[in-house]
Amino acid sequence: MLSCCAAALPNPAAGLRRSVWRDPRVQDEISSWALALGTDRNSLQHSLFDLAHHWQEARTALLTPLRPYLKLSGLTQGWVVFVAGTRHADRFEVVARDDAGRTRQLYLRGDDEHQWQARLLESQAWRNVTFTASWPDGPSRRWRQRMCRVLAARAFAVDATLTTIECAHWRRRNAKPSSGAVEAEERVNVVVVPRPAAS
Amino acid sequence: MSASSRFAQGWERFAAFCAVKEAATALALSRILIGTTVVAHLLMALWNETTTTVFVHVAHGGLHSVDWARAFTTPLGAVLLTGATAACGLGVALGCCTRVALVGSWLGMRMISAFSDHAHGGSDALLIDVLFVLMISGCGNALSVDAWRKGTTTALRLPRLLLVFQLGLLYFFGGLQKISYGWVPGGDASALWFALHQPQWTRFDGLPPAWLYPFTQAATTSAWLFEISAPLLVLAVLLDEVSSSGRVARLLRRLQVRALFLVYGALMHLGIEVLMEVGPYLPVTLSMYPAVLGPVVCQRLLRRRHSRNDSL
């Protein structure tokens, strides 16, 4: 029970990278708190980053002797569900380019007309992957590449005219009803996978 | 009385409290729910090809890079692992060779969860946690093939209380992690409004209508308060178990804390399920609810169902 309590303590490890904190979703959150607390955004960000580092050090020290038990039992207690309620929303997209230079949108999340591999891409696991892959840190970048390679292999296998597969996210910043219209979408996290040379 | 003898006496009382045997009905209901969830979750993974992509090593054209599993996480290996784990899940649901089936499900889900890496959600971790507690319980002693063969009906109380504790941990620390401006009271309570805008999770296309915003604000704040006050639920259950007649116990009973939590929690999870696609979060969480209800209430509910069936 003690191990479970310790393991459940908030774990900021995944977010302890400057690159993650530069993400607009995190910046928005810090701005909201700075406004509410009447403080400067930059100084709040520095204080929070230092605090998170100290917290993480203490958490690691507390968990070290308990780790063998937690590892053996497979018990994890990191309950992160819609933690931030971020204003930014990303829609995953897959685009194909053929040997005549034409581009074709194959899949766009939430678009009924572009539903290639929808059964796979709308599964819970793939939605988790596409969400994680939308973050700017190293592991997320790696998953972005892998994910696009898997999808490209499927597309190349059924259409010999395709030359590249492109995966991306359409990002928009949502608004509260009182603060006006939703901003235009921006295309981010673009990954291009060319057809491998025939062996 | 010295401190050490007081401690020894306390420990003896605690051990005796945990060793009490009770009807295994509540644990059995948890077992049936979790076993069915394992089967449904994995059959779904086979159908939507998560198995042959996410559970396959990157060297074999998949997504994961867990190197110790490289040799056997080929597409065929992943299908076999998923199938074997689903078969164990069926054993858990039916209560057939329950302990072996629970160990098999727990091991299988652990491996699958390790391969899933960024693809697994909180519901997978919770599923493993519940399977672990059930593994050390007598959940196969009722409503099962094993119970029918061996004629067992009772189980130790401790594992059921561990499930209650697990539920409290899930809610309380889930609430504690939500320290964002959109969640905590005093902020703008916009978290659920923006969560409903997330294409990754929302079940319905298009933006939610503006009139929904105040309702999402109320739901945000009440959900956060519900989660953060989960220790009260654990306390209410424990005090009821020891038949405490103290002031706190009487207050919690008068406020109907146990019933309030279960009703609000069930409604909240149903609401999430209707509006969002969050995987097997609903059945995994609800699998712990029979533990909170306790064996007496569970038996009463089942008996009422039986008598209604008989009257038809």
Side-chain angles (χ1 to χ4, degrees), chain A residues 87 175-179, chain B residues 181-197 208-226 264 275:
Chain A
R87 284 155 198 247
K176 285 184 262 183
S178 55
S179 41
Chain B
Y181 190 69
W183 274 108
V184 295
D188 60 7
S190 62
L192 283 182
W193 171 256
F194 288 119
L196 287 176
H197 279 74
W211 58 262
L212 205 62
Y213 185 61
F215 294 100
T216 61
Q217 283 185 300
T220 301
T221 304
S222 61
W224 191 82
L225 290 172
F226 164 80
Y264 183 93
L275 297 171

Side-chain angles (χ1 to χ4, degrees), chain B residues 2-312:
Chain B
S2 70
S4 61
S5 60
R6 263 208 311 269
F7 176 78
Q9 212 174 39
W11 179 255
E12 266 174 35
R13 274 170 53 193
F14 175 70
F17 168 73
C18 294
V20 167
K21 285 207 164 190
E22 60 181 26
T25 325
L27 281 168
L29 285 174
S30 295
R31 187 203 78 233
I32 292 167
L33 261 168
I34 211 74
T36 312
T37 307
V38 169
V39 176
H41 183 47
L42 294 180
L43 289 182
M44 186 69 96
L46 282 168
W47 175 77
N48 62 30
E49 299 180 79
T50 295
T51 302
T52 47
T53 51
V54 175
F55 307 162
V56 172
H57 193 274
V58 71
H60 304 295
L63 282 183
H64 86 75
S65 54
V66 181
D67 281 332
W68 60 262
R70 180 184 173 144
F72 69 90
T73 46
T74 58
L76 177 66
V79 168
L80 288 175
L81 173 68
T82 309
T85 311
C88 288
L90 186 65
V92 171
L94 297 173
C96 183
C97 304
T98 313
R99 189 93 61 189
V100 176
L102 277 163
V103 173
S105 302
W106 172 75
L107 273 173
M109 284 308 301
R110 280 196 65 183
M111 279 202 254
I112 285 168
S113 180
F115 305 151
S116 303
D117 200 358
H118 288 312
H120 73 83
S123 52
D124 293 317
L126 190 59
L127 211 154
I128 293 167
D129 292 352
V130 175
L131 282 169
F132 182 76
V133 176
L134 291 179
M135 218 162 64
I136 55 165
S137 78
C139 63
N141 292 352
L143 308 175
S144 67
V145 175
D146 287 347
W148 174 66
R149 276 176 31 220
K150 296 176 193 163
T152 50
T153 53
T154 58
L156 282 182
R157 168 157 66 178
L158 180 64
R160 182 173 63 78
L161 296 181
L162 287 178
L163 284 183
V164 175
F165 179 71
Q166 175 62 68
L167 190 67
L169 268 187
L170 164 73
Y171 286 142
F172 177 68
F173 283 99
L176 209 60
Q177 303 242 19
K178 293 184 180 85
I179 47 167
S180 78
Y181 190 69
W183 274 108
V184 295
D188 60 7
S190 62
L192 283 182
W193 171 256
F194 288 119
L196 287 176
H197 279 74
Q198 286 293 335
Q200 309 293 342
W201 294 305
T202 185
R203 203 177 274 285
F204 301 105
D205 295 338
L207 300 176
W211 58 262
L212 205 62
Y213 185 61
F215 294 100
T216 61
Q217 283 185 300
T220 301
T221 304
S222 61
W224 191 82
L225 290 172
F226 164 80
E227 291 196 324
I228 216 73
S229 53
L232 281 181
L233 171 71
V234 180
L235 186 65
V237 172
L238 285 177
L239 291 176
D240 273 353
E241 296 289 332
V242 295
S243 309
S244 167
S245 55
R247 217 182 308 161
V248 178
R250 283 203 310 272
L251 179 68
L252 292 175
R253 241 170 259 144
R254 201 176 311 139
L255 292 174
Q256 302 269 351
V257 167
R258 207 195 276 226
L260 274 176
F261 254 90
L262 291 181
V263 171
Y264 183 93
L267 288 175
M268 179 181 81
H269 289 299
L270 280 173
I272 292 174
E273 191 60 28
V274 168
L275 297 171
M276 295 178 189
E277 297 180 61
V278 287
Y281 189 55
L282 171 79
V284 178
T285 315
L286 290 191
S287 74
M288 288 178 280
Y289 277 39
V292 179
L293 283 172
V296 177
V297 178
C298 287
Q299 276 184 314
R300 208 181 300 150
L301 288 173
L302 284 175
R303 226 173 280 143
R304 197 176 296 170
R305 216 179 118 75
H306 274 286
S307 57
R308 205 179 297 153
N309 284 345
D310 291 344
S311 68
L312 289 170

Side-chain angles (χ1 to χ4, degrees), chain A residues 1-45:
Chain A
M1 281 162 87
L2 277 176
S3 304
C4 288
C5 284
L9 292 171
N11 178 11
L16 281 181
R17 294 189 198 94
R18 294 275 179 200
S19 59
V20 173
W21 283 55
R22 276 195 295 271
D23 188 271
R25 288 169 280 195
V26 181
Q27 287 298 314
D28 253 8
E29 181 65 25
I30 294 167
S31 298
S32 299
W33 275 114
L35 202 66
L37 299 171
T39 180
D40 170 54
R41 198 181 77 165
N42 285 335
S43 62
L44 179 67
Q45 179 167 331

